[in-house]
């Protein structure tokens, strides 16, 4: 089954404790992206990748890192999480490296930073 | 950069009625406008999209219209059903090389269809 898989789905952590949210897609998509969703603010793009070893900042990249060493994986790293990073995170992928065309979303990872 | 405004933020309709959600965008160079549906506890799914060279697109009960002059596009759902209840997001994408991978989303509309 074609899908985007995120882990963990739910996480409660404390300020400053490094964490990684993994994202994997099995559709051989070129493009992958991370979003955060906060009440009243919609989906805001954190980082995106148009191909392996190519990443770029979205609208809200502060406090996050990403890497794209393999085509299928695009982990989101929070080196030193803070409470303002409490949010619902979505990973998405698209066939085209330009991001045009359908985005396939994971089911989301709800992160709480205490 | 691109700015997308979506209205209304909440919409409640009676089953069988039509629902319309409108988005405006700021960058006249934007060329791709998808609509996504997010059901509770799930990721968003594309329901319809339109490119800048087309004025209207329809898929069964769902249609999208684009007015490039006014820089707005709208989602129309006819004969609404309770399973249409969800959060709907619009998005706009610009073709610039330096921002080739960026998509800007609206803030979402929570649609409730009452049986």
């Amino acid at each position: 089954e074609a899908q985007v898989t995120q882990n963990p789905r739910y996480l409660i952590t404390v300020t400053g404790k490094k964490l990684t949210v993994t994202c994997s897609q099995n559709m051989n998509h070129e493009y992958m992206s991370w979003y955060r969703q906060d009440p009243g603010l919609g989906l805001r793009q954190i980082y995106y990748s148009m191909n392996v070893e190519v990443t770029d900042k979205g609208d809200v990249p502060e406090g996050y890192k990403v890497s794209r060493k393999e085509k299928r994986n695009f982990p989101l790293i929070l080196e030193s999480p803070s409470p303002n990073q409490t949010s619902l995170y979505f990973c998405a992928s698209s066939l085209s490296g330009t991001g045009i065309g359908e985005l396939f979303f994971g089911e989301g990872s709800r992160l709480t930073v205490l | 950069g691109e700015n997308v405004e979506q209205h209304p933020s909440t919409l409640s309709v009676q089953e069988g009625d039509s629902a319309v959600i409108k988005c405006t965008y700021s960058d006249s160079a934007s060329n791709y406008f998808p609509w996504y549906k997010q059901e509770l506890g799930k990721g968003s799914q594309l329901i319809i999209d339109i490119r800048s060279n087309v004025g209207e697109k329809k898929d069964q009960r769902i249609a999208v219209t684009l007015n490039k002059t006014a820089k707005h596009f709208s989602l129309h759902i006819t004969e609404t059903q309770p399973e249409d209840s969800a959060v709907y997001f619009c998005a706009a994408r610009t073709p610039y090389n330096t921002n080739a991978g960026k998509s800007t989303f609206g803030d979402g509309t929570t649609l409730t269809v009452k049986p």
Side-chain angles (χ1 to χ4, degrees):
Chain A
E1 181 189 354
Q3 59 186 3
V4 178
T5 304
Q6 297 178 224
N7 279 295
R9 295 288 313 280
Y10 302 91
L11 180 62
I12 300 175
T13 189
V14 295
T15 299
K17 186 176 181 182
K18 180 180 178 179
L19 68 92
T20 299
V21 186
T22 63
C23 175
S24 180
Q25 50 91 6
N26 62 1
M27 297 169 279
N28 202 35
H29 283 175
E30 300 279 346
Y31 179 91
M32 297 185 75
S33 182
W34 276 102
Y35 301 87
R36 61 177 288 173
Q37 183 176 355
D38 301 291
L41 295 177
L43 289 162
R44 293 183 292 168
Q45 192 171 37
I46 303 171
Y47 270 94
Y48 63 93
S49 169
M50 298 172 73
N51 210 330
V52 175
E53 301 292 0
V54 178
T55 63
D56 212 341
K57 296 177 181 178
D59 294 315
V60 288
E62 296 78 19
Y64 304 94
K65 285 175 58 177
V66 292
S67 68
R68 187 92 183 274
K69 293 185 172 57
E70 309 165 277
K71 199 171 189 178
R72 63 182 294 129
N73 296 323
F74 191 46
L76 179 70
I77 303 156
L78 287 73
E79 293 271 3
S80 183
S82 62
N84 64 10
Q85 292 178 297
T86 293
S87 188
L88 178 59
Y89 292 86
F90 288 100
C91 179
S93 70
S94 180
L95 179 62
S96 167
T98 66
I100 286 275
E102 182 174 1
L103 277 170
F104 290 81
F105 283 84
E107 293 196 318
S109 296
R110 185 167 292 281
L111 171 65
T112 302
V113 183
L114 301 175
Chain B
E2 175 65 279
N3 182 51
V4 177
E5 293 190 0
Q6 183 172 344
H7 298 280
S9 56
T10 60
L11 179 60
S12 182
V13 300
Q14 209 62 39
E15 183 177 359
D17 287 350
S18 294
V20 181
I21 304 170
K22 183 175 175 180
C23 287
T24 60
Y25 60 98
S26 59
D27 192 336
S28 57
S30 288
N31 63 353
Y32 176 64
F33 307 94
W35 284 92
Y36 288 87
K37 176 183 181 183
Q38 185 183 70
E39 296 177 275
L40 197 63
K42 296 184 180 181
S44 301
Q45 285 191 304
L46 180 75
I47 54 171
I48 197 165
D49 57 9
I50 193 167
R51 296 179 189 248
S52 58
N53 58 348
V54 176
E56 184 175 357
K57 184 176 177 180
K58 192 173 181 180
D59 182 4
Q60 299 183 341
R61 297 186 298 110
I62 295 172
V64 55
T65 58
L66 172 65
N67 184 326
K68 287 172 58 180
T69 303
K71 289 189 281 187
H72 68 71
F73 56 110
S74 299
L75 176 71
H76 305 254
I77 305 174
T78 59
E79 301 171 25
T80 54
Q81 301 165 3
E83 50 265 38
D84 294 329
S85 296
V87 179
Y88 291 83
F89 291 100
C90 64
R93 189 189 175 287
T94 54
Y96 297 135
N97 287 335
T98 55
N99 293 312
K102 292 184 70 173
S103 292
T104 303
F105 284 81
D107 289 346
T109 296
T110 301
L111 173 64
T112 303
V113 180
K114 299 177 190 173

